[in-house]
Amino acid sequence: MPDLAISFPVFAGFAACLAMGAFLRGLAGFGMALVAMPFLVLLVPPADAVLAVLVVQITLTLIDLPECVGHADRRAVGMLTLAAIFGTPVGLLFISVVPLWLAQIVIGSITAAAAAALFFRFSLGPRPGPISTTAVGFFAGLFSGLAAAPGPPVVAYFLAREVPARTKRASMIILFAILAVFALATAAFKGALHLHVVLLGLFSAPLCAGGSALGAYFFRRGSETSYRNVALLAMVCSALFGIVLGLSAWLRL
């Protein structure tokens, strides 16, 4: 593995790959790691890739914050965040009991089922109650602690709500940034966040900002239907990716 501190090609390749994922983030409000991670892990260790992506995610959200705050459902974001904070330690406890490959298959299967339900127009209405919102946040935290995958419950929750696409997108951007801060703080506390990882994220941020801005450009010119179709497709890809990863790891045992 090349030394990140002196290898410019690694930094440049990482930034270019992540910029492709940033395009989907700008378009849908999520999915940056989904697109980029298969390529990023060819350049750097998976743990470093995940943490660097979190650094970029926080940086991009600081750029988008003025726009997103005005459209986000701040009440839902707050409830989801609090519930996720309680769910994450539970997921971490299950790590020693549930193999990662099994967690990936289960999460992928749940994501696929949620995508199917959304395809057939399952709806939570415009304003879900506190119980359903808290449950979604808890599972997001659980999946985050178990397999670093908080996205599926949150994406399904917002896609099932009868609110404008800009509200869904803005809410997810802010929520995932908050969870990223929490994850980075946890990694720093454990001594797993190193300077070269932070520099990798900061180096990638300008190019990723361009990719995200391009995605946002197409989002503003799209329709509610096109947004829903893109988000559902991203959910299906996420489900398949998780299942394939889990099955591959299981077959290597």
Side-chain angles (χ1 to χ4, degrees), residues 2 15 59 62 64 106 108 174:
T59 304
L62 291 176
D64 296 333
V106 171
I174 292 176

Side-chain angles (χ1 to χ4, degrees), residues 71 103 169 173 251:
H71 297 304
R169 176 181 173 273
I173 286 176
L251 292 173

Side-chain angles (χ1 to χ4, degrees), residues 24-208:
L24 179 57
R25 174 200 175 274
L27 180 62
F30 68 96
M32 184 163 63
L34 169 65
V35 172
M37 198 58 70
F39 305 101
L40 301 183
V41 295
L42 299 177
L43 298 170
V44 300
D48 286 354
V50 169
L51 294 176
V53 168
L54 295 178
V55 172
V56 173
Q57 186 164 298
I58 295 168
T59 304
L60 295 183
T61 303
L62 291 176
I63 298 173
D64 296 333
L65 199 58
E67 176 188 356
C68 290
V69 166
H71 297 304
D73 183 342
R74 285 169 284 183
R75 175 179 175 275
V77 168
M79 293 178 64
L80 290 166
T81 299
L82 288 175
I85 290 174
F86 282 102
T88 301
V90 178
L92 293 172
L93 289 175
F94 276 107
I95 287 179
S96 59
V97 180
V98 180
L100 179 59
W101 63 266
L102 180 58
Q104 289 171 328
I105 293 174
V106 171
I107 293 173
S109 300
I110 292 173
T111 305
L118 290 168
F119 178 79
F120 289 106
R121 300 292 175 177
F122 171 78
S123 174
L124 290 172
R127 196 176 180 87
I131 295 178
S132 57
T133 301
T134 301
V136 169
F138 179 83
F139 276 102
L142 179 70
F143 290 174
S144 178
L146 190 57
V154 173
V155 174
Y157 169 83
F158 280 109
L159 289 184
R161 291 188 56 185
E162 297 172 8
V163 293
R166 63 184 185 181
T167 298
K168 300 175 184 180
R169 176 181 173 273
S171 300
M172 286 190 283
I173 286 176
I174 292 176
L175 176 61
F176 288 138
I178 294 173
L179 296 181
V181 170
F182 181 65
L184 281 182
T186 302
F189 179 77
K190 293 181 177 179
L193 182 61
H194 305 294
L195 178 60
H196 71 265
V197 174
V198 176
L199 292 177
L200 182 60
L202 293 178
F203 180 90
S204 303
L207 190 58
C208 291

